[in-house]
Amino acid sequence: MNAELPPVAPDVVAAAVESLTSRLRKKLDAAIEGYAALPVGTEGAVRRVRCGEDAEVVLTPGPSGTVTDAGQAVCSCLLAPRCLHRAAVLGACPVADAETLVEAETGAATDADADAANANANANANANANAGNAVADGAVPVPSGSVVPPAEGDPPSGRAESEPSPPTEAQIAAARGLWTAAAAVLGAGVPAAGAVPQAELLRAAHTARLAGLHRAEAAALRVVRGLRGARARHDGHRLADLVAALSELLLTSGLLARAEPDGSLLGTARRAYRPGGSLRVRGVCREPVLSATGYGGVVTHVVGDDGRWFSVADVKPGGVARARGAGTATVMIGSGGLDHAQLARGGLLIAGATLSPEGRLGAGKGVRATPVAGLPWASGPLGALFARPLEEIVAERLGGAPGVDPERAEQRARELVGCDLVVAGTADGQLIAREIRAGRPDDEGVLIRLAPANGHPDLAHTANFRQLAARPGLRLRVIGRLEPERAATLRPLAVAPLPGTGATLRLPAGWDGHADLGYDRLEGAHFPPSEELPAVTALTEPPPDPLAEAPLWRLRRLVEVAVSGGRRAASEPARDGDRGGAGAALRRGGFRTAADLATGLAAEADRRSRDVFGRTGEADPDAYARAWLAAAVYLTGAERALIQATWRPGPATDARPTAEPVR
């Protein structure tokens, strides 16, 4: 892909590839690779790519910045529009996401819609005298007509909860098309999943969007982006992400094709921002943001009076220098006049708020904000955050069954958590702490690995971790983020003194009770003298990691090889009689189901039908896709169960899933 080119709707790319002759399709992958490296001419929003002496492709995106119509991509050659130049340039463009396509279809910007909706809501609210009285009393009313997202699991407002209806015939047909395209990509593997298989998947994704299968469409687009990243060997590509996206696509489309009456399989078409009414939020902490694509900035996390998490982001091109400077940049919400450092220790009373699906607060023209005083971590909604043990929080965040919407699950897993810890020391270069629970001896708490949220040397995380690691016995209150793919790992974003003890932090008054680990640098004066720190048992090795010790990596390797190398690569264990001993190692480790799934996947990958003359026929892509999906779903459930076991108090060396994950 070429980041200088505008994003393109999936159906436009699919139509361009389908219009090519079979001879030109064979040249398409090489043409995309060559044209992606060509310079891009810019004339306002128009992009021009010179593909030869007599061929120039001109892209004219719409108001949303996305090419959504075939007429917005033209070529000057004689074969246009059924030419290789046009199809290759479109194939080199990024794939537009679903939210961008919704904006382009409606012809309105997200913030403008939110402002208009909030204007109506606020007009209704101003007509209500009781609302004014509530504000005077210190409450924050929700204006009538505003959109407030329901709590997870609640039925839609105004309607009683009813049985979910099965998908329609059009949705079932679209799901079958997605399954067929995804199974073809799986069988081909990354090397053979070029522009033509990707175009078939994009066409199926477009059909799914028209049928209302938004969750499956999003998964299909993630698969296409993952395939492109893998084939181009991008630095940010992760094979595990592509495997997860392909598993989600096959699982969702397979269940829908069977007419499963589960409304969560359909997903929702969400706009980038929606009206959120009136909010009072209190600052919690700042987090520097630094991406591999050259973006930097800050995200300030805030919490509402009802316990909901929100964030205020300021991320732009600029790298680590901008990430450092953005920590004290002005917050662009309303006319509050706060910077991010002040917001992290204060609060805002917002009228006409706009919210993204991830809880990000928008800065539309209709938003008004007034600074308010902050609250200490021990009071208000944050006080309840430290009352729950981590074991309960992890079980709630990571205990989803197969088929849960991955976007919602990821958003839930990334929500901040709070806990009280005592620094236990270091082992193998890792900072280890132990959870403190009321009524339980300190040496019985869960051992937790603390990892920096960002390891860049120009940020304060690493230096602060050195200060904490040098003081075993230090007690502190932590707000951070769980690491769902690693055993008992927490990434702290901010720390505060633990009430009721002297062996804790002694922060300056200007820090208002907490330190943001990415910005505030801890010094020796911020810690108690070493003689005031209680003695702790010295660590000789890090806590057990049952996921790393389990032989499940053998099944993961087979599942990933099937995606990266295709069906032929997955069949190698069946052809050599499992010379590597993967099945035997899994059975010795107690993972008999994993061994059976690995054996079944390799056997299905090597299975070929034969006619009456003994000639090899075509392989069954559906049976192979089902075998691979069963192994992938089991693997995800087993790994997640092992990770959950590391968050339970007591020894975790013999941790095993309490039950076989559903296949």
Side-chain angles (χ1 to χ4, degrees), residues 7-26:
V8 180
D11 59 306
V12 176
V13 181
V17 175
E18 291 172 358
S19 66
L20 298 178
T21 63
S22 58
R23 180 179 63 87
L24 293 179
R25 290 187 184 186
K26 296 178 182 178

Side-chain angles (χ1 to χ4, degrees), residues 89-104:
V89 171
L90 289 174
C93 294
V95 179
D97 56 25
E99 291 182 355
T100 303
L101 295 176
V102 171
E103 294 175 25

Side-chain angles (χ1 to χ4, degrees), residues 18 235 333 340 389 488:
E18 291 172 358
D235 293 338
I333 293 183
H340 282 270

